Amino acid sequence: MATLADIGLSAAINIITAFIFLIAFAILRLQPFNDRVYFPKWYLKGLRSSPATSGAFVSKFINLDYRSYMKFLNWMPDALKMPEPELIDHAGLDSAVYLRIYLLGLKIFIPILVLTWAILVPVNWTNDTLDKLKGEATYSEIDKLSISNIPQGSHRFWTHVIMAYAVTFWTCFALKKEYETVANMRLHFLQSEKRRPDQFTVLVKNVPPDADESVSEAVEHFFLVNHPDNYLTHQVVLNANKLAKLVEEKKSKQNWLDYYQNKFERNQAKRPIMKTGFLGLWGEKVDAIQHHISEIERLSNEIAEEKEDVVNNPKAIMPAAFVSFKTRWGAAVCAQTQQARNPTLWLTEWAPEPRDVYWKNLAIPYVSLTIRKLLMAVAFFFLTFFFIIPIAFVQSLANIEGIEKAAPFLKPLIEVKTIKSFIQGFLPGIALKIFLILLPTILMIMSKFEGFLSISLLERRSASRYYLFNFVNVFLGSVIAGTVLEQLNTFLDQSVNKIPETIGVAIPMKATFFITYIMVDGWSGTAGEILRLKPLIIYHLKNFFLVKTEKDREEAMDPGSIGFNTGEPQIQLYFLIGLIYAVVTPLLTPFILVFFALAYVVYRHQIINVYNQEYESSAAFWPDVHGRVVSALVISQLLLMGLLSTKEAASSTPFLLALPILTIGFHMYCKGRFEPAFVRYPLQEAMMKDTLERAREPNLNLKGYLQNAYVPPIFKEADSDSDSNSDSDDETNDQKWQKDNVLVPTKRQSRKNTPVPSKRSAGSSPNLPEIREKDKP
């Protein structure tokens, strides 16, 4: 059990570590040779030039201006100066709204801190319950500030019940205001945003096979018939995964060629030699430059052949397509309605923006998606279940008293005061952090296997699983495993009917473990994020070995992104811990607030200067954020009820039953009131934007803008000339599509859905006379 001294040592270690990270960053960012590491976003925007291009030789690498070091912490206020509208214009709505999650944490927990410390801390402290339990339960002085110090059946539990209502009402109020604000920000952003291909495009899946028409012809025919006034063009989905592998392999060979050429230029007296075996460890020795040149030529030929095969092979065409419309209104109608009598065919949804499309998953057959999701659900269950083992190990570090009984020979070493404080106050948090390092990568691989079609959906799916994993393992696993280890002697000696009471006392005591975890992960981890040690090392290695031109130097930069799939679940874990312990152990709340404040400043700086977001979802993730905070609130209420039930507080516990009901009702209200703004696009807004655009740009070449928007980027990389079209062709096509489509071309022998003659099939439709007969009075 961590004592106050252990927490103090852990706080000192983490504060010093965070301070060292921040000081190192403040100094490193001033050096000209690190400029592209700490300000890559401005380089990508073309608004910053390298300071290493002018001045004395030394000044190209080291900042010699001593005055700049006097203001080395100015980055903090500078990060807060940019107004939110300017931040949205600079980094996008996703980044700006992501920062509002940290602000939401501050808005929720600052009033909670004031209330709980003013009311609950005195109520908890002025008891002697834990002093009377000496020898029966393990505790520390910190636990005297928690609900564990309240005697069984005390009327003081009413204070905690009332405070639970206050925390719930305030949290719901803050959530509603934030949901409303973000929803309005999203609608305003969509209305004021510049033209994007996804505003006019829907993704059509599960196109039914047709013996007489190809997928492309079937899509064109279907939308000309059912959306005659709005359909513009389409792009079928191609299975280009093999082509992508070849292109990636060619890139790798090109990078090695650049490396060996640079190496040869530095020392032309000796040609670079390599082995052709696995990883260059064995095999025939060859000239490295000539070998890679021949490999690149071979891959170029294979790429050309594979590209030709993908375009002409019907088996490479998937039953899906990106369909673009003449107006946003037409796209909104198609994306938000059922297209066919059979609801499993011609499925439509808003297309992700081209940057957001995860092209590899477009080739997955629709029928296999359900099986893939089932397999990943089973895999996730076992991953979560078996991770209890390392969690139990971490808790064994936090509960030395229980281990000493099992391994008494370690007692002399463990009982050394400094070692014991280090193990209990710092080691559990860092051990848990290490165990969780690979988890986001594993969860992202699982999400990709499930078949989600956009990067944003992949990250949101991975984030939801990460949050569930954190709840089951990091929170529940730590509490349950820690309680068993902590109270092992009590469990063995006391009667069965006393065990629930012991657990009720022990659960609040796990606050000390979460305090250490928050300091390691939230304080030191956040400060380490701004240092960017890994991108710094990788950039300089690339800069030394591979960079030859300015373009190479730009490619060596790694701006990264906010990492929604890892960052948001981390924030949600702090919401969960903070809401659960707000009433149980108020001492934890200040540690949560330090994290939210520090993280807000750090990530605001990173979003302004570093991160280059891969996509823009217009804050589509906010309903997930809202839902997880609400779930944390409900969990905190249920756990408080369970805790009070072990405290013989039968008269006060029933009054908590209304809280989960009210909270779920609040969530349903918000879901109905605000969530539609995140899943549907109002036709009124679409029409307004279309009308304004027609007035401002009456001669807009929309088809030329949309025609190649959803061509897989791998085709552009394989052959940059493949998707070029002449301006005259575009103008001819525009004139063609602006005409009313009276005739609908089709190759079908049976044209039940085509009540007009066809250009491609001779004769008139057999259904036309029947229709005319029906029209007669």
Side-chain angles (χ1 to χ4, degrees), residues 731-749:
E731 291 175 2
T732 304
N733 288 333
D734 286 338
Q735 293 173 1
K736 171 188 172 183
W737 289 105
Q738 287 171 1
K739 297 179 181 179
D740 293 331
N741 291 288
V742 179
L743 302 180
V744 181
T746 181
K747 288 185 176 180
R748 287 199 186 99
Q749 299 301 315

Side-chain angles (χ1 to χ4, degrees), residues 214-257:
S214 66
V215 173
S216 180
E217 291 168 339
V219 170
E220 181 184 34
H221 171 242
F222 181 86
F223 284 95
L224 279 173
V225 170
N226 296 287
H227 298 268
D229 298 326
N230 295 298
Y231 169 75
L232 182 60
T233 186
H234 72 277
Q235 173 68 50
V236 294
V237 173
L238 302 174
N239 185 353
N241 288 344
K242 183 179 178 181
L243 177 64
K245 291 179 181 178
L246 291 173
V247 172
E248 288 300 318
E249 186 179 355
K250 182 181 176 181
K251 282 183 180 179
S252 176
K253 298 293 184 183
Q254 185 64 51
N255 289 336
W256 278 110
L257 177 61

Side-chain angles (χ1 to χ4, degrees), residues 160 388 399 514:
H160 299 82
I388 288 292
N399 300 284
F514 289 115

Side-chain angles (χ1 to χ4, degrees), residues 351-422:
E353 67 159 322
R355 294 181 303 167
D356 192 18
V357 177
Y358 189 68
W359 297 96
K360 292 182 180 179
N361 280 0
L362 290 176
I364 298 175
Y366 179 77
V367 293
S368 69
L369 294 179
T370 303
I371 299 174
R372 286 169 170 260
K373 290 180 180 179
L374 178 61
L375 290 174
M376 287 302 98
V378 174
F380 179 68
F381 170 79
F382 283 104
L383 175 67
T384 305
F385 179 78
F386 284 109
F387 211 85
I388 288 292
I389 298 172
I391 292 294
F393 170 74
V394 169
Q395 286 304 315
S396 70
L397 298 176
N399 300 284
I400 293 177
E401 290 82 358
I403 298 302
E404 286 180 347
K405 295 180 176 65
F409 61 89
L410 294 175
K411 188 173 182 179
L413 178 64
I414 293 175
E415 286 299 324
V416 176
K417 187 175 181 180
T418 305
I419 295 177
K420 184 176 181 179
S421 295
F422 175 78

